[in-house]
């Protein structure tokens, strides 16, 4: 029987096509067991649980992977948001790219705030120890208060089982585990929240077209060439309609000075439909993110995603301003609502472009900006460098509470 063209397939058919043709990750059963125990605990306590996805997924080019495609996401949004969810009493499943930023330890990461810079050897006189070479290591006095605060929150979350860390690396690991986690969250019902901040790859190489071994960059003698066409990343003879090829506006050019490696990628199936309409518990809240670089596209793309997947909220952000502003796009009024860190409270960012703040907001009549001063916004006397997640999460929790109340109200009628 001939199979349907992808555009004629139902979301359920696309789901079985993907999950039957790609291998589940080795960690799946272990992660499922950890998640099941964590979820049971919080169902018992009638506690809200948020699944935070964070960081970028990789796209391996070889089955025994030497090379892969990656993206920029460091996991700042996810790790920071997780802390504010914990502060709001949620239990957090932190489903993150391995080695990306983690809640709490992000404050002392290896690159921006190297943890070694926060420490020093205690002065010999203060320790009473006779041997200056074996005295204790302490946190420098100017960082004591801040680190104590972070340490207490971290220990509280650990001691009370409020935070479950589950790593992924590849797009396939992400998709298999996302499906399992969402299905395991079913007993949470309306107490479940999905906060999809990960930057998920849009293209991948299906298993049946992936080279087994490292793709060679120089000629091999004939007797060493792999007979199955391995290492030929473009061994697809079918003629492809040019309309079916994404070019990103750049036309393919013939090789000039040397050979080319042409990688043939398929689009990753859009599983948000299945998440909203099948995997996630009925009555749960689903929040996705939309990242753009062109201010003119952001709101339009966020609205389109909301219509397409019929979920509850799209949080739009621009690459260049994401630390200072986001837009909440909702199916109900006010439809488009901006949340901004006040100018005087913006953290410095080397990669950000502050002059682009406000550019993506759809312009209304003079004085009619849709930017909302979020409740609980820190006062002018608050510390410099307010994290935008400290404004996003309380607003989101209100929306989640409203959804739960509506659902409860609907049931009792
Ligand atoms: O990590 P940082 O450096 O702090 O950066 C944070 C961020 C910019 C990555 C984050 O704020 C963000 O915008 N994430 C979403 C990026 C994006 O545009 O994703 P998308 O358009 O490919 O997908 C839309 C949504 O569906 C996302 O919520 C994504 O997590 C989710 N998705 C997408 C595809 C897929 N197969 N599964 C998904 O769950």
């Amino acid at each position: 029987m001939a199979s349907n063209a992808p555009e004629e397939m139902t979301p359920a058919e696309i789901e079985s096509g993907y999950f039957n043709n790609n291998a589940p990750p080795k960690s799946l059963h272990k992660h499922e067991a950890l998640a099941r125990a964590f979820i049971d605990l919080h169902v018992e306590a009638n506690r809200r649980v948020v699944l935070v996805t964070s960081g970028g997924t990789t796209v391996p080019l070889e089955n025994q992977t030497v090379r892969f495609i990656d993206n920029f996401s460091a996991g700042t949004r996810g790790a920071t948001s997780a802390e504010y969810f914990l502060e709001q009493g949620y239990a957090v499943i932190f489903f993150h790219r391995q080695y990306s930023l983690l809640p709490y330890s992000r404050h002392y990461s290896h690159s921006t705030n190297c943890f070694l810079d926060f420490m020093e050897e205690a002065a010999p006189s203060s320790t009473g120890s006779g041997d200056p070479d074996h005295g204790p290591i302490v946190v420098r006095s100017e960082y004591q208060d801040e680190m104590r605060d972070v340490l207490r929150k971290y220990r509280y979350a650990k001691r009370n089982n409020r935070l479950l860390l589950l790593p992924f690396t590849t797009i396939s690991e992400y998709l298999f585990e996302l499906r399992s986690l969402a299905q395991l969250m079913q007993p949470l019902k309306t107490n479940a929240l999905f906060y999809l901040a990960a930057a998920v790859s849009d293209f991948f190489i299906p298993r049946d077209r992936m080279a087994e071994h490292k793709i060679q960059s120089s000629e091999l003698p004939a007797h060493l060439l792999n007979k199955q066409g391995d290492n030929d990343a473009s061994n697809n003879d079918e003629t492809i309609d040019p309309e079916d090829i994404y070019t990103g506006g750049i036309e393919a050019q013939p090789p000039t000075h040397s050979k080319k490696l042409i990688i043939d990628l398929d689009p990753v199936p859009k599983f948000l439909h299945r998440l909203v309409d099948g995997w996630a518990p009925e009555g749960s809240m689903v929040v996705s993110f939309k990242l753009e670089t062109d201010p003119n596209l952001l709101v339009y793309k966020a609205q389109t995603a909301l219509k397409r997947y019929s979920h509850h909220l799209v949080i739009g952000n621009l690459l260049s301003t994401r630390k200072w502003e986001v837009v909440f796009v909702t199916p109900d009024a006010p439809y488009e609502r901006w949340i901004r860190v006040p100018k005087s409270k913006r953290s410095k960012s080397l990669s950000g472009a502050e002059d682009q703040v406000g550019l993506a907001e759809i312009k209304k009549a003079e004085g009619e900006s849709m930017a909302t001063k979020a409740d609980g916004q820190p006062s002018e006397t608050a510390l410099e460098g307010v994290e935008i997640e400290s404004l996003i999460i309380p607003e989101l929790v209100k929306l989640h509470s409203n959804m739960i109340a509506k659902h409860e109200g609907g049931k009792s009628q």
Side-chain angles (χ1 to χ4, degrees):
M1 199 176 77
S3 59
N4 286 339
E7 61 273 17
E8 291 163 9
M9 286 162 76
T10 65
E13 284 171 337
I14 295 173
E15 177 182 343
S16 52
Y18 181 87
F19 290 104
N20 291 337
N21 288 319
N22 291 281
K26 291 198 182 88
S27 53
L28 186 63
H29 291 312
K30 188 177 139 210
H31 286 181
E32 282 175 343
L34 289 168
R36 194 174 289 114
F38 186 81
I39 291 162
D40 283 352
L41 187 78
H42 296 295
V43 168
E44 184 88 351
N46 193 24
R47 186 168 292 114
R48 296 184 191 179
V49 176
V50 58
L51 173 69
V52 175
T53 72
S54 182
T57 57
T58 67
V59 176
L61 302 189
E62 302 117 343
N63 197 24
Q64 297 189 38
T65 308
V66 174
R67 304 190 187 90
F68 53 86
I69 301 173
D70 203 351
N71 65 51
F72 73 97
S73 172
T76 312
R77 174 79 80 228
T80 312
S81 301
E83 287 180 22
Y84 290 105
F85 275 121
L86 287 160
E87 227 160 78
Q88 295 277 336
Y90 281 65
V92 176
I93 301 175
F94 189 65
F95 185 44
H96 63 283
R97 164 72 178 279
Q98 189 169 38
Y99 309 128
S100 66
L101 293 178
L102 295 177
Y104 304 118
S105 70
R106 75 183 170 98
H107 297 273
Y108 312 104
S109 71
H110 52 287
S111 49
T112 40
N113 295 318
C114 175
F115 69 97
L116 292 172
D117 291 332
F118 290 79
M119 291 151 66
E120 65 187 3
E121 291 190 44
S125 58
S126 67
T127 67
S129 140
D131 183 353
D133 282 341
H134 293 90
I137 309 243
V138 294
V139 172
R140 285 166 60 178
S141 58
E142 63 269 43
Y143 301 121
Q144 293 267 340
D145 286 344
E146 191 195 311
M147 197 180 263
R148 185 180 304 105
D149 190 44
V150 174
L151 185 65
R152 280 184 182 164
K153 287 177 180 163
Y154 168 72
R155 293 181 74 104
Y156 178 86
K158 268 193 92 168
R159 211 177 33 244
N160 294 288
N161 249 313
R162 295 291 170 88
L163 178 61
L164 177 65
L165 304 177
L166 297 177
F168 61 79
T169 301
T170 65
I171 173 70
S172 172
E173 288 169 6
Y174 174 87
L175 293 173
F176 270 93
E177 299 216 7
L178 177 69
R179 179 172 72 159
S180 279
L181 290 171
Q183 289 168 340
L184 286 169
M185 286 170 75
Q186 290 277 344
L188 288 160
K189 301 182 182 144
T190 53
N191 273 345
L193 171 61
F194 294 83
Y195 184 83
L196 307 172
V200 182
S201 318
D202 286 325
F203 302 98
F204 79 121
I205 304 180
R207 189 167 66 157
D208 55 4
R209 290 215 315 270
M210 198 184 295
E212 174 61 24
H213 295 288
K214 183 185 162 198
I215 297 170
Q216 295 298 317
S217 58
S218 56
E219 301 293 341
L220 289 178
H223 71 280
L224 289 179
L225 280 177
N226 193 305
K227 301 288 181 298
Q228 290 105 46
D230 278 0
N231 295 340
D232 177 1
S234 61
N235 59 351
N236 189 346
D237 287 335
E238 283 172 36
T239 316
I240 301 170
D241 183 340
E243 297 237 319
D244 289 338
I245 299 177
Y246 297 92
T247 64
I250 301 163
E251 293 306 321
Q253 300 293 320
T256 49
H257 303 296
S258 59
K259 287 190 168 187
K260 279 189 175 199
L261 170 66
I262 295 176
I263 302 167
D264 190 0
L265 301 168
D266 279 7
V268 172
K270 297 285 180 203
F271 285 126
L272 226 48
H273 258 309
R274 293 297 297 138
L275 179 80
V276 175
D277 224 10
W279 306 343
E282 208 196 316
S284 61
M285 181 174 191
V286 178
V287 179
S288 73
F289 276 78
K290 178 50 72 186
L291 172 75
E292 289 298 331
T293 54
D294 181 346
N296 295 316
L297 293 185
L298 182 65
V299 173
Y300 167 78
K301 292 293 290 281
Q303 288 166 339
T304 308
L306 195 67
K307 273 192 212 121
R308 180 171 298 148
Y309 302 115
S310 315
H311 53 308
H312 309 104
L313 170 66
V314 177
I315 303 183
N317 50 182
L318 282 180
L319 186 66
S320 56
T321 61
R322 69 189 191 281
K323 304 234 157 110
W324 307 308
E325 64 171 3
V326 298
V327 57
F328 275 27
V329 174
T330 45
D332 305 310
Y335 308 112
E336 177 194 335
R337 175 172 171 210
W338 286 86
I339 292 185
R340 290 203 176 99
V341 175
K343 200 169 171 39
S344 60
K345 305 293 168 208
R346 288 181 196 151
S347 55
K348 299 283 164 273
S349 161
L350 283 181
S351 56
E354 215 183 331
D355 57 346
Q356 293 195 12
V357 170
L359 286 191
E361 185 172 350
I362 291 181
K363 292 291 169 261
K364 301 283 176 307
E366 196 68 21
E368 237 193 280
S369 165
M370 295 185 76
T372 308
K373 195 173 186 303
D375 291 345
Q377 196 144 295
S379 71
E380 289 300 307
T381 52
L383 285 175
E384 285 296 316
V386 164
E387 294 176 318
I388 192 161
E389 292 79 7
S390 72
L391 308 178
I392 297 174
I393 305 307
E395 289 307 303
L396 190 48
V397 170
K398 276 189 221 159
L399 295 178
H400 190 200
S401 299
N402 290 345
M403 254 192 81
I404 293 175
K406 235 189 203 165
H407 206 264
E408 296 297 313
K411 269 202 317 211
S412 60
Q413 275 164 23

